[in-house]
Amino acid sequence: MAERMPHNPGWHLAPGFEPVAEVFAELLALGLDLGATFAVSLEGECVVDLWGGHRDDGLTRPIERDALFPVWSATKGATATTIALLVDRGVLDYDAPVARYWPEFAASGKERLTVGEMLSHQAGLCGMRRPTTIEDHYAHHRLAAELAAQAPFFPPASAWGYHALTFGILADELVRRVDGRPVARVFQEDLAGPLGLELFMGLPPAELDRQVTITPPPGRQQALVEIPNPAAFEAAFQNPVLEGGMANTTAWKLAGIPGAGLGGNARGLARLYALHANNGVLDGRRWLSAPTVAAARSQRVEGVDQVTGNYRRWAAGFHLNMHGLMGPNPDAFGHAGWGGSIGFADPAGRLAVGYTTNRMLVSPPGELDQRLSELLAAIYAALDARKPPSQSAAKR
């Protein structure tokens, strides 16, 4: 039996959520997590804020409250929220062709693809057709021009295929065309800064030491089923080859690529999604209109991923809940990252959740990450216990 880890006196737990801390501590004690953070916002208020474990495999440095984690593709939720902000301001329209804002994008049969379709991975630009390096993605401009001209791997809007890194290039160029700033600056200046989010799409040099060391997953980097479009898979995940250790380099941390390069913690992710969970209102201020929130999370495609073979539902840059990944409510939405980190909103309960980990694990197809599953079970059990007895009994 694992040795029970002591609770950190700095943890924040609203009354009734103490069992969540027990689960979090047990996951660390069992070694399922090396270092992690977990946070929950309910009706816009933080009710759970936990951190613990170690920053590295050598167990030389403990996780402090201000530690930051590479969250990989959970970054896409921050990028999608930034685009929602621009939709709300009227400078973008989910149903307008991308080419309205980025005329060069109309090449190679992409002239009718809408912003919403692009954000839901329907562009067919899952990766580059010529050999690229991760440094090419840091630079942005050359790849944006090439993607605008590039022929897609499947007819646009006929299917969807996961744009692992190119999602960020496409979204970034779209934002630059209508705002003039890169998406990272819009996110930091218009959302992360004003909201006090501990999320950085490109770490300031002074903050580099706050980011923990990531431990890559054992074995193959992706848990794959049969791949429908091998060329799209090779472009998405093998050009360049994605390696977990990339996130430990200074260049990655500084670049903050908008498809996978966010550094942050659970507190920041939960607060970001609290904006969505509360219909665009946070801290008494409306940040997004209710129609924009509804449009951002509306389903735009459902089916088999041409890149990985997985079956999913997508909104405008957000993954829609399936198989309990984001708890029991089917309307939950957010974005997970390679290795386990995730942020999501459950609008039905006005609930938002963030989880980050530096021990990357990849569950087999159809299986959920045990760590997140146990934490969510504890959260929803605590929520159920807070309801009047008649409502809890009816639910059971």
Side-chain angles (χ1 to χ4, degrees):
M1 190 167 180
E3 180 182 353
R4 184 177 296 277
M5 295 191 70
H7 285 204
N8 187 320
W11 287 353
H12 173 69
L13 289 161
F17 289 95
E18 294 84 0
V20 180
E22 297 288 342
V23 172
F24 183 80
E26 184 178 10
L27 291 170
L28 289 168
L30 290 170
L32 291 175
D33 257 328
L34 173 64
T37 66
F38 185 68
V40 179
S41 170
L42 181 63
E43 299 180 353
E45 298 295 330
C46 179
V47 293
V48 175
D49 184 12
L50 309 173
W51 61 92
H54 291 85
R55 293 170 55 110
D56 60 333
D57 273 329
L59 309 183
T60 61
R61 296 179 63 185
I63 296 289
E64 303 291 348
R65 185 179 187 273
D66 69 346
L68 302 173
F69 292 68
V71 301
W72 295 97
S73 283
T75 305
K76 292 179 173 70
T79 297
T81 302
T82 305
I83 288 181
L85 186 69
L86 297 180
V87 169
D88 205 56
R89 292 173 178 172
V91 296
L92 284 173
D93 183 338
Y94 286 126
D95 297 322
V98 174
R100 174 187 295 179
Y101 313 105
W102 181 3
E104 299 92 329
F105 189 83
S108 302
K110 304 189 297 294
E111 66 278 0
R112 298 176 65 180
L113 187 86
T114 68
V115 172
E117 289 167 342
M118 185 195 81
L119 293 171
S120 52
H121 302 267
Q122 298 182 71
L125 301 173
C126 311
M128 305 303 301
R129 289 187 177 273
R130 59 102 173 163
T132 56
T133 65
I134 195 62
E135 287 76 19
D136 290 326
H137 284 269
Y138 299 160
H140 173 79
H141 290 290
R142 182 177 175 184
L143 293 193
E146 290 183 17
L147 283 172
Q150 182 174 296
F153 285 92
F154 51 81
S158 68
W160 76 275
Y162 191 58
H163 292 48
L165 293 179
T166 51
F167 175 96
I169 296 291
L170 295 171
D172 195 6
E173 185 64 20
L174 182 63
V175 170
R176 290 170 190 248
R177 293 292 176 123
V178 300
D179 184 90
R181 295 174 291 172
V183 69
R185 274 192 59 198
V186 180
F187 175 70
Q188 296 299 151
E189 294 174 4
D190 296 9
L191 283 172
L195 282 167
L197 306 179
E198 294 185 64
L199 302 173
F200 298 91
M201 205 176 290
L203 286 179
E207 308 290 351
L208 283 172
D209 190 55
R210 288 176 61 186
Q211 187 148 306
V212 305
T213 302
I214 202 82
T215 300
R220 297 180 64 182
Q221 65 175 10
Q222 298 290 329
L224 297 171
V225 293
E226 184 177 351
I227 302 168
N229 191 326
F233 166 76
E234 291 292 328
F237 288 112
Q238 302 296 314
N239 184 26
V241 175
L242 296 180
E243 299 175 348
M246 286 178 172
N248 294 327
T249 66
T250 298
W252 175 280
K253 297 174 187 178
L254 292 173
I257 55 176
L262 195 74
N265 52 38
R267 187 164 50 252
L269 288 172
R271 186 161 167 78
L272 173 69
Y273 280 99
L275 186 65
H276 294 281
N278 293 278
N279 215 23
V281 175
L282 196 59
D283 299 338
R285 172 181 169 182
R286 179 162 291 283
W287 298 83
L288 296 172
S289 69
T292 296
V293 174
R297 66 184 182 96
S298 293
Q299 179 172 308
R300 296 178 183 273
V301 70
E302 177 178 356
V304 174
D305 181 4
Q306 295 298 296
V307 170
T308 69
N310 293 319
Y311 192 99
R312 285 189 178 172
R313 303 161 55 224
W314 284 99
F318 301 103
H319 176 202
L320 299 175
N321 195 19
M322 290 187 71
H323 311 302
L325 173 65
M326 304 176 203
N329 292 331
D331 291 336
F333 67 100
H335 214 296
W338 183 27
S341 295
I342 192 171
F344 72 85
D346 177 353
R350 297 179 63 190
L351 182 79
V353 173
Y355 168 67
T356 66
T357 176
N358 63 348
R359 171 160 288 165
M360 296 175 64
L361 298 176
V362 178
S363 301
E367 296 185 15
L368 300 178
D369 188 315
Q370 177 185 347
R371 302 167 298 180
L372 180 63
S373 294
E374 292 189 8
L375 288 165
L376 293 184
I379 283 294
Y380 281 94
L383 291 172
D384 193 47
R386 289 161 61 97
K387 296 176 181 177
S390 58
Q391 290 186 26
S392 297
K395 184 174 180 179
R396 290 193 294 270

